[in-house]
Amino acid sequence: AWAIEKVTVSQESELKVTAGEWIKYQQKSDHMPLVKSLQGHATGWCTAGEKTAKAQLNMGDFHVYYSHDPKGNATIPRVAIRMQGGSIGEVRGIAPDQNLDPYIGDIAEQKLQEFGPEGEKYQKKVQDMKRLTAIEKLHQAGSELTKEDLEFLYEIDNEIEGFGYQKDPRIKELLAERDEIKDLNYLLSNITVWEGNLNLNRLKSAKGLELPEWVSGRLRLGGLTSAEGLKLPESVGGSLNLSNIRSAKGLKLPESVNGDLNLCSLTLAEGLKLPHSVGGFLDLSRLNSAEGLELPESMDGSLDISNICSVEGLKLPESVGGSLVLSSLTSAEGLKFPESMGGSLILRSLTSAEGLELPQSVGGYLDLSGLTSAEGLKLPESVGGDLNLGRLTSAEGLKLPQSVGGHLDLHNIRLAEGLKLPQSVGGYLDLNGLTLAEGLKLPESVGGSLILRSLTSAEGLELPQSLGGDLNLGGLTSAEGLKLPESVGGKVYLDKMLENEKEALRKKYPNLIIR
């Protein structure tokens, strides 16, 4: 009885009445008038709670539109605009999931215009809700929808935006009562080239679907689990999403896909014929085996075959403009890599470099974090991104590139013997495992942090003149022989050093922050 008294759902006849008034509750004003005006109405707004209302009013003004009740008093809350300082924090209605109800769109639109550029951000939402209401009325009346109406309702090129924290439930309700394939075939009829994006992620089956021969933008069919009945266009100008298709049986892909091609749920390549060219990212991340896999000769984008464990039957493209993810390979013997790669190369499961012939250059990240020995390892002449060799415990046989554009991780190497570092490292240099600096020649420049926190003595330590990040020498117990860089972009950490020695260093190097 208490709940019924406190929460009263407004009748449909009451919602049709939109006459009323806006009331502004000033920032930091008493929150109780706002709370009392909302209690007894099923708004769904958390502002009806005292603590929430107080917190929200502390952040900014609060505007509420109240329509007239049967007695002619403006008491029925319909729209809330919560401000956060000088910006609109959120706009909420009283429909399910706090969307605007079908009758109040014009009132909200007029008010939002008062907020200038802030209100303009919400205009698409207002128009989308008004149009959805109009389509709902047509559908309820049994009237035919135009192609433009269907394109909007099925969110073919743009999502329908509302004011709630979830999609307006009317979209799902309307679509549940319609024949999707019939609607889509009517929408796409007599169209050879579809200009723009085609979002058909809602489809669970392609049986009977007639797609255009060409799609200039993205084509999304992420809801399909089978290719049965699917006849794809000859060419897709953007990306093609088939992320839920489990089997290549009956799957005939376009001749070319200029964007990404998402086939991330395929586990077998049997029967798979890929396009001649893929301009973006080719996602085959769940393939268990390379058996039957014929990759394009060249790829402008990236290739993810991260689940393949063996090189048997694997022939890589001659060129890869993006990244190559082979993170499950345990041996690369017999595998021919492209001569150069524009992106990253991920080989984190390799424990041995036996038979490994890497590209001459890698533009991005090179992950060899599983290698335990550098024996037989020939690294690229240049690595544009990070180089991860974090499991190596010895520098024996290790020949590093002259430059590493990103981070260099050698945190498990214990001795500097045989370690010839690059002339420059663009990111951080992690030599956390080194206990002695004897024989260590550091790069001339390190763009990020330098981590040497296992060193217990500065004997033989020659640091770069400048560092872009922090200098971590947390294991040093004495400042004897320590010569710090002239410039350190971050802080110098000397955790185990006595405070009087730190203070002496602060006086000697006043420009450095020593901790």
Side-chain angles (χ1 to χ4, degrees):
W2 181 87
I4 291 170
E5 183 184 349
K6 289 290 182 183
V7 183
T8 307
V9 179
S10 298
Q11 300 297 317
E12 183 79 8
S13 58
E14 290 179 348
L15 294 183
K16 288 180 179 179
V17 177
T18 58
E21 63 179 300
W22 283 97
I23 293 185
K24 176 182 176 181
Y25 298 90
Q26 295 278 3
Q27 183 178 8
K28 298 188 183 300
S29 64
D30 181 11
H31 61 286
M32 287 310 296
L34 171 59
V35 171
K36 288 176 181 177
S37 76
L38 302 182
Q39 287 185 349
H41 301 277
T43 61
W45 303 340
C46 54
T47 315
E50 293 181 25
K51 288 184 180 179
T52 305
K54 186 175 182 180
Q56 290 181 343
L57 275 177
N58 280 335
M59 290 188 286
D61 298 336
F62 204 101
H63 303 260
V64 180
Y65 185 77
Y66 301 90
S67 61
H68 290 156
D69 60 23
K71 296 179 180 178
N73 300 317
T75 62
I76 300 175
R78 302 288 291 277
V79 186
I81 301 176
R82 180 180 65 80
M83 303 300 291
Q84 195 152 346
S87 303
I88 296 175
E90 58 184 344
V91 180
R92 292 288 189 249
I94 62 169
D97 299 328
Q98 298 183 22
N99 282 288
L100 294 186
D101 68 71
Y103 308 100
I104 208 70
D106 288 339
I107 301 291
E109 182 180 16
Q110 290 167 14
K111 184 66 175 178
L112 286 166
Q113 288 172 357
E114 297 177 13
F115 293 90
E118 272 294 312
E120 286 173 14
K121 297 181 205 172
Y122 290 85
Q123 287 305 315
K124 181 182 184 300
K125 295 184 178 187
V126 172
Q127 297 306 321
D128 281 1
M129 291 298 96
K130 288 170 73 173
R131 187 166 185 187
L132 183 60
T133 298
I135 289 173
E136 182 184 29
K137 289 177 180 177
L138 287 171
H139 176 81
Q140 289 170 346
S143 303
E144 291 293 326
L145 299 186
T146 65
K147 287 187 175 183
E148 290 75 17
D149 291 335
L150 292 173
E151 186 174 343
F152 173 82
L153 182 59
Y154 282 92
E155 301 179 278
I156 296 296
D157 199 15
N158 279 295
E159 286 194 13
I160 299 172
E161 295 181 34
F163 291 91
Y165 54 85
Q166 297 285 354
K167 298 280 283 186
D168 193 307
R170 291 180 295 169
I171 302 168
K172 189 175 180 180
E173 290 164 7
L174 285 168
L175 291 176
E177 296 179 15
R178 300 194 66 85
D179 184 332
E180 287 186 273
I181 297 295
K182 183 181 176 182
D183 278 348
L184 291 171
N185 284 343
Y186 169 60
L187 174 61
L188 301 171
S189 62
N190 301 318
I191 296 176
T192 305
V193 179
W194 179 270
E195 297 290 348
N197 301 321
L198 196 50
N199 183 0
L200 304 176
N201 275 341
R202 295 179 184 276
L203 279 182
K204 304 302 178 188
S205 169
K207 196 173 181 180
L209 179 65
E210 298 175 10
L211 290 168
E213 292 179 16
W214 298 71
V215 173
S216 70
R218 297 186 300 271
L219 174 56
R220 297 178 179 175
L221 291 159
L224 297 182
T225 56
S226 165
E228 186 181 354
L230 178 62
K231 186 180 177 184
L232 288 164
E234 293 178 13
S235 174
V236 175
S239 300
L240 173 57
N241 182 1
L242 297 165
S243 57
N244 268 311
I245 286 188
R246 311 284 196 266
S247 167
K249 185 179 179 182
L251 179 61
K252 187 181 178 184
L253 292 166
E255 292 290 315
S256 67
V257 175
N258 292 335
D260 302 336
L261 174 55
N262 191 337
L263 294 164
C264 68
S265 292
L266 281 185
T267 55
L268 296 173
E270 187 180 353
L272 177 64
K273 186 180 178 185
L274 290 165
H276 292 308
S277 67
V278 177
F281 175 35
L282 175 54
D283 191 342
L284 294 164
S285 54
R286 290 189 192 171
L287 278 188
N288 296 320
S289 162
E291 188 178 347
L293 178 62
E294 292 185 23
L295 293 165
E297 289 185 7
S298 68
M299 290 192 56
D300 294 334
S302 300
L303 171 61
D304 187 343
I305 43 177
S306 53
N307 207 36
I308 291 178
C309 301
S310 169
V311 300
E312 189 176 348
L314 180 59
K315 185 182 177 184
L316 294 172
E318 292 179 8
S319 68
V320 176
S323 299
L324 177 56
V325 186
L326 288 159
S327 50
S328 295
L329 272 190
T330 54
S331 170
E333 193 167 355
L335 184 62
K336 186 180 178 184
F337 287 95
E339 288 186 9
S340 67
M341 289 189 50
S344 300
L345 177 56
I346 314 297
L347 293 161
R348 66 171 66 102
S349 293
L350 291 184
T351 55
S352 167
E354 188 176 347
L356 177 62
E357 294 185 21
L358 292 166
Q360 291 183 5
S361 68
V362 173
Y365 175 31
L366 177 55
D367 188 346
L368 293 165
S369 55
L371 287 185
T372 55
S373 168
E375 188 178 347
L377 177 63
K378 186 181 178 184
L379 289 166
E381 294 175 6
S382 68
V383 175
D386 304 342
L387 174 55
N388 191 332
L389 293 161
R391 286 191 69 189
L392 290 185
T393 56
S394 167
E396 188 177 347
L398 179 61
K399 186 181 178 184
L400 292 164
Q402 289 190 347
S403 70
V404 173
H407 308 316
L408 176 55
D409 190 343
L410 295 164
H411 74 269
N412 262 317
I413 287 182
R414 305 286 186 262
L415 298 172
E417 187 179 350
L419 179 60
K420 186 179 178 183
L421 292 166
Q423 291 181 3
S424 67
V425 175
Y428 67 68
L429 173 56
D430 191 343
L431 293 165
N432 183 52
L434 280 185
T435 54
L436 295 172
E438 190 176 347
L440 176 65
K441 186 180 179 184
L442 290 165
E444 294 175 7
S445 68
V446 176
S449 298
L450 176 57
I451 305 168
L452 291 161
R453 60 172 168 247
S454 292
L455 289 183
T456 55
S457 167
E459 189 177 346
L461 179 62
E462 293 185 20
L463 293 165
Q465 290 188 355
S466 68
L467 287 174
D470 297 332
L471 173 58
N472 195 325
L473 294 165
L476 289 186
T477 55
S478 169
E480 188 177 347
L482 179 61
K483 184 180 178 182
L484 293 174
E486 294 176 6
S487 169
V488 177
K491 301 178 179 66
V492 180
Y493 290 94
L494 298 164
D495 302 345
K496 292 189 177 179
M497 197 173 289
L498 294 173
E499 191 57 40
N500 62 332
E501 290 196 85
K502 286 187 196 178
E503 193 56 41
L505 288 171
R506 289 188 187 107
K507 290 177 181 176
K508 187 176 179 181
Y509 301 98
N511 295 326
L512 303 183
I513 302 170
I514 297 172
R515 296 287 174 89

